[in-house]
């Protein structure tokens, strides 16, 4: 019998990679969506219907999932072996307003899902995974994070997320459910929204090489993040549900780079050598050499990166670090994609798109 998985959101990159992985492993994959998410639907089509990449076969159920009866009925009907509550982040386009910064999660409320599992008597059968973004640690992460199980609840003192995290732990301990939390540090891919800095950079620089944009405006170039590939993180999330005992894990590569370094790598992949001049809001990224025909439209001395203070977040932890040792030791998980390979994949995808757009604009 094939295993059955329910993913709460397949409209973003994390859902896509997970659905793709599970269908390759022979799972029957279900997902739930809200009726009203028109914007999300467009994004969904962009991810699933473009090119000739593997397209997972997903059974999508539409409804109001805040209604416990509807949710319980669905669980009863599909009897999932595994549930992945991804709670994918909806992001605002700019990060100028710190009040808008905390992620607005789209998944089903953790407690509703855990309670629905119990209500239909699946608590000994269904394995449950709850995802959290690393933003949970925004205010406290100057320290290195490693083993969550030994962390104090104060680390998660961010309202609802704190409640959700401990709800998963409580259902595991009180009802013997196989339930785990995963804290995902920044995970990127060509399907990342450009509300996130990596995609904004790869798309922006690719557009610049094709004459579609003059300059890429960013916030804090010194900010550092631990960036991994969303495909690797999907695998890790699956691995978390295949252990003998449920546990919580941090998902990260353990390696940190600055926004400036990401820009430099992306520019190089496009055949542009950059030098940075100036400090703070006056810093500029200037073309110092062109080393590929991809960037033939540019010339040495062009300013293609600049800082726009509107993109600087004043209320954030700018140097996020994580330690994935526990995942490596207990699950044998090692990220397969280096940052350089991630940059290459994202840049190449954005270059193809930019070239297409430039051709279209030329003919219109
Ligand atoms: P986050 O870690 O979930 O906030 O992911 P982001 O990709 O949005 O931001 C990563 C880091 O890049 C943060 O430290 C931002 O302050 C920094 N950053 C610098 N410039 C920008 C920008 O123009 N847009 C975004 N989104 N982030 C920027």
């Amino acid at each position: 019998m094939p295993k059955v998985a329910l993913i709460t959101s397949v409209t973003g990159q994390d859902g896509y990679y997970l659905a793709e992985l599970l269908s390759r492993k022979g799972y029957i994959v279900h997902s739930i969506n809200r009726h009203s998410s028109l914007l999300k639907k467009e994004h969904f089509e962009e991810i699933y219907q473009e090119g000739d990449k593997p397209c997972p076969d997903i059974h999508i159920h539409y409804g109001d999932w805040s209604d416990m009866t509807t949710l319980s009925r669905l669980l009863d009907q599909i009897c999932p072996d595994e549930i992945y509550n991804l709670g994918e982040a909806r992001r605002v386009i700019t990060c100028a307003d710190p009040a808008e910064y905390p992620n607005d999660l789209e998944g089903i409320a953790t407690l509703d899902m855990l309670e629905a599992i119990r209500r239909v008597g699946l608590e000994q059968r269904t394995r449950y995974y709850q995802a959290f973004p690393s933003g949970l640690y925004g205010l406290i992460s100057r320290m290195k994070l490693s083993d969550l199980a030994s962390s104090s609840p104060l680390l998660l003192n961010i309202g609802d997320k704190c409640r959700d995290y401990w709800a998963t732990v409580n259902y595991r301990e009180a009802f013997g459910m196989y339930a785990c939390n995963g804290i995902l540090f920044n995970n990127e891919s060509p399907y990342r929204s450009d509300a996130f800095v990596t995609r904004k950079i790869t798309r922006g620089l690719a557009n610049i090489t094709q004459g579609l944009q003059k300059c890429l405006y960013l916030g804090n170039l010194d900010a550092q993040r631990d960036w991994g590939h969303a495909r690797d993180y999907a695998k890790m999330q699956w691995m978390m549900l295949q252990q003998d005992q449920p546990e919580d894990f941090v998902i990260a590569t353990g390696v940190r780079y600055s926004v400036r370094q990401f820009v430099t790598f992306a520019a190089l992949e496009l055949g542009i050598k950059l030098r940075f001049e100036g400090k703070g809001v006056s810093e500029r990224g200037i073309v110092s050499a062109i080393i590929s025909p991809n960037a033939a439209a540019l010339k040495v001395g062009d300013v293609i990166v600049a800082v726009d203070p509107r993109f600087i977040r004043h209320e954030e932890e700018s140097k996020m670090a994580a330690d994935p040792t526990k995942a490596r030791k207990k699950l044998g998980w090692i990220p397969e994609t280096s940052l350089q390979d991630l940059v290459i994949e994202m840049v190449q995808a954005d270059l193809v798109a930019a070239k297409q757009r430039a051709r279209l604009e030329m003919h219109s």
Side-chain angles (χ1 to χ4, degrees):
M1 282 289 281
K3 278 191 175 178
V4 176
L6 173 65
I7 303 174
T8 55
S9 165
V10 289
T11 50
Q13 62 161 19
D14 298 2
Y16 166 74
Y17 282 110
L18 191 57
E20 202 263 318
L21 174 81
L22 295 178
S23 6
R24 236 182 322 114
K25 289 187 178 295
Y27 282 63
I28 297 171
V29 182
H30 294 264
S31 178
I32 47 189
N33 254 26
R34 286 168 218 272
H35 278 307
S36 57
S37 57
L38 200 58
L39 198 77
K40 284 300 214 180
K41 196 163 162 249
E42 282 161 12
H43 187 49
F44 180 83
E45 280 162 8
E46 185 197 322
I47 289 187
Y48 285 86
Q49 284 164 22
E50 146 209 295
D52 53 3
K53 64 183 180 299
C55 193
D57 183 16
I58 305 163
H59 305 271
I60 299 182
H61 306 268
Y62 293 93
D64 172 10
W65 305 107
S66 58
D67 173 24
M68 278 286 277
T69 312
T70 316
L71 186 59
S72 305
R73 199 179 304 129
L74 178 73
L75 295 189
D76 196 33
Q77 183 197 325
I78 65 175
C79 281
D81 296 286
E82 294 168 15
I83 295 179
Y84 297 85
N85 197 4
L86 296 188
E88 292 213 52
R90 231 186 301 138
R91 295 299 296 265
V92 288
I93 296 303
T94 77
C95 49
D97 181 357
E100 290 180 324
Y101 172 58
N103 291 325
D104 178 7
L105 297 184
E106 278 234 314
I108 303 295
T110 309
L111 260 174
D112 285 355
M113 189 60 104
L114 288 165
E115 200 39 46
I117 294 171
R118 248 170 46 83
R119 216 187 247 199
V120 292
L122 287 171
E123 69 269 37
Q124 297 309 316
R125 170 188 173 136
T126 302
R127 295 185 166 203
Y128 180 77
Y129 168 79
Q130 178 64 51
F132 292 95
S134 61
L136 271 180
Y137 294 104
L139 303 174
I140 49 83
S141 64
R142 235 156 244 199
M143 67 192 77
K144 269 212 151 200
L145 295 162
S146 53
D147 189 341
L148 271 183
S150 63
S151 301
S152 116
L154 288 177
L155 290 182
L156 292 153
N157 190 17
I158 307 182
D160 292 353
K161 317 290 185 308
C162 179
R163 185 203 57 203
D164 290 349
Y165 179 88
W166 290 100
T168 308
V169 174
N170 284 344
Y171 272 68
R172 177 166 76 217
E173 290 176 356
F175 303 115
M177 277 178 66
Y178 192 113
C180 355
N181 292 301
I183 313 286
L184 278 78
F185 276 68
N186 303 54
N187 56 110
E188 319 293 316
S189 79
Y191 306 122
R192 190 59 143 160
S193 136
D194 64 4
F196 292 86
V197 76
T198 53
R199 185 75 197 288
K200 180 174 169 182
I201 293 168
T202 58
R203 181 179 271 180
L205 291 178
N207 283 347
I208 288 170
T209 64
Q210 302 308 305
L212 297 166
Q213 186 177 330
K214 284 250 169 295
C215 185
L216 171 65
Y217 292 94
L218 296 168
N220 182 3
L221 298 177
D222 288 317
Q224 295 184 6
R225 285 290 183 271
D226 178 332
W227 285 296
H229 197 302
R231 188 173 41 227
D232 290 340
Y233 289 27
K235 184 171 172 198
M236 159 88 189
Q237 292 172 93
W238 171 77
M239 287 171 109
M240 283 178 66
L241 293 196
Q242 315 307 316
Q243 298 186 88
D244 292 337
Q245 297 299 325
E247 281 184 74
D248 303 325
F249 285 89
V250 166
I251 313 182
T253 69
V255 187
R256 216 165 57 176
Y257 291 90
S258 70
V259 171
R260 189 183 299 98
Q261 282 172 306
F262 196 99
V263 173
T264 306
F265 295 148
L268 265 183
E269 177 57 19
L270 287 160
I272 307 162
K273 275 194 177 172
L274 279 182
R275 73 166 193 277
F276 286 88
E277 276 182 11
K279 287 243 165 300
V281 291
S282 308
E283 187 164 355
R284 302 278 179 270
I286 303 166
V287 177
S288 64
I290 309 284
I291 50 175
S292 145
N294 276 331
L298 297 176
K299 56 183 191 315
V300 171
D302 282 351
V303 174
I304 59 167
V305 182
V307 175
D308 182 333
R310 285 178 306 158
F311 295 118
I312 295 178
R313 296 176 194 157
H314 298 287
E315 301 292 325
E316 76 161 355
E317 171 53 57
S318 63
K319 294 187 177 147
M320 301 273 273
D323 180 356
T325 307
K326 180 178 170 187
R328 194 178 63 240
K329 285 199 175 144
K330 293 212 159 171
L331 304 177
W333 179 78
I334 304 170
E336 285 164 23
T337 319
S338 66
L339 183 89
Q340 284 72 12
D341 287 341
L342 170 67
V343 170
I344 292 172
E345 195 180 324
M346 292 178 72
V347 165
Q348 290 304 334
D350 278 325
L351 185 60
V352 170
K355 283 183 174 170
Q356 264 169 9
R357 248 187 74 204
R359 261 197 306 273
L360 279 177
E361 288 195 5
M362 217 164 69
H363 293 118
S364 65

